[in-house]
Amino acid sequence: MSFTLPDLPYAHDALASAGMSQETLEYHHDIHHKAYVDNGNKLIAGTEWEGKSVEEIIVGTYDADAVAQSGIFNNASQHWNHAQFWEMMGPGKGAIPGDLEKALVDSFGSVQKFKDDFSAAGAGQFGSGWAWLVKDKDGSLKVTKTENGVNPLCFGQTALLGCDVWEHSYYIDFRNKRPAYLTNFLDNLVNWENVASRLK
Ligand code: MN3
């Protein structure tokens, strides 16, 4: 199956009051994400990966020993990462559902400690990449960071929450202040119902 750019699950201006502008979403979704879809489709055409699911392509092309991942991996993973990222945000910040809050407190000691760890992971990722809250293979919750397009699927983990820390995700709204972008993401942008749904 070829890759398809999903529509945003909200209007382009829906997150502006929460700190992600219409201009950011127009560039990030309509141009950056679309480029991963278009380039990925060009690269998989006529290969063994044409007709495979995006998850199969990510797991099948990730090379743990490589200095740099392949073009097919990079575009497939970035397509998947962004599709999750849009779903993980939403307008009208809601409370953290009880089951997720309990899991965060059990794993990190408090919700605030989880947020601190997540922000530190995102701020500490040198260069482009992602910060994640994952459910690991043993069921435990962990905060991780990955470079470029690498994501939790590569390690057999479930992505509960991911935050894009490539400069294109924050430079329009926060300029060079990645830590401020991360704090705002956690406090105002996350759709916690979506995160909780991924626990199951
Ligand atoms: Mn991005």
Side-chain angles (χ1 to χ4, degrees):
M1 120 192 40
S2 58
F3 305 148
T4 306
L5 181 68
D7 289 336
L8 287 175
Y10 31 75
H12 284 78
D13 63 357
L15 305 183
S17 63
M20 187 170 283
S21 64
Q22 177 171 347
E23 184 181 4
T24 286
L25 283 171
E26 286 172 352
Y27 273 89
H28 201 176
H29 174 271
D30 302 2
I31 297 175
H32 289 284
H33 188 171
K34 184 173 187 297
Y36 297 126
V37 168
D38 292 345
N39 291 329
N41 283 332
K42 281 182 201 150
L43 288 167
I44 63 173
T47 74
E48 63 183 301
W49 302 109
E50 194 172 19
K52 296 285 200 303
S53 72
V54 62
E55 291 86 358
E56 287 175 309
I57 296 171
I58 290 166
V59 172
T61 60
Y62 176 65
D63 183 347
D65 300 322
V67 174
Q69 301 299 318
S70 69
I72 290 180
F73 173 85
N74 285 333
N75 285 283
S77 64
Q78 282 289 77
H79 167 43
W80 187 88
N81 291 347
H82 286 83
Q84 310 310 307
F85 185 53
W86 311 134
E87 299 283 345
M88 289 162 171
M89 296 187 290
K93 61 174 177 179
I96 300 179
D99 55 343
L100 175 61
E101 183 175 14
K102 181 178 185 311
L104 291 173
V105 171
D106 287 349
S107 300
F108 300 97
S110 67
V111 171
Q112 189 57 52
K113 180 64 165 56
F114 151 69
K115 289 184 174 182
D116 292 346
D117 288 358
F118 189 95
S119 291
Q125 169 57 36
F126 185 74
S128 296
W130 293 75
W132 303 97
L133 170 67
V134 304
K135 185 164 80 171
D136 213 341
K137 284 175 282 194
D138 63 3
S140 63
L141 301 197
K142 290 176 182 158
V143 163
T144 67
K145 60 184 178 184
T146 58
E147 61 179 11
N148 299 320
V150 177
N151 68 40
L153 295 176
C154 303
F155 312 110
Q157 300 164 331
T158 302
L160 303 179
L161 179 64
C163 186
D164 189 340
V165 299
W166 288 54
E167 278 191 351
H168 65 225
S169 66
Y170 58 87
Y171 217 79
I172 292 170
D173 297 322
F174 291 90
R175 294 304 172 196
N176 60 323
K177 297 184 176 60
R178 191 193 286 184
Y181 158 77
L182 283 156
T183 299
N184 183 68
F185 174 80
L186 290 166
D187 288 345
N188 298 314
L189 284 167
V190 174
N191 177 347
W192 295 107
E193 294 283 350
N194 181 273
V195 177
S197 74
R198 296 165 183 269
L199 270 176
K200 295 165 183 109

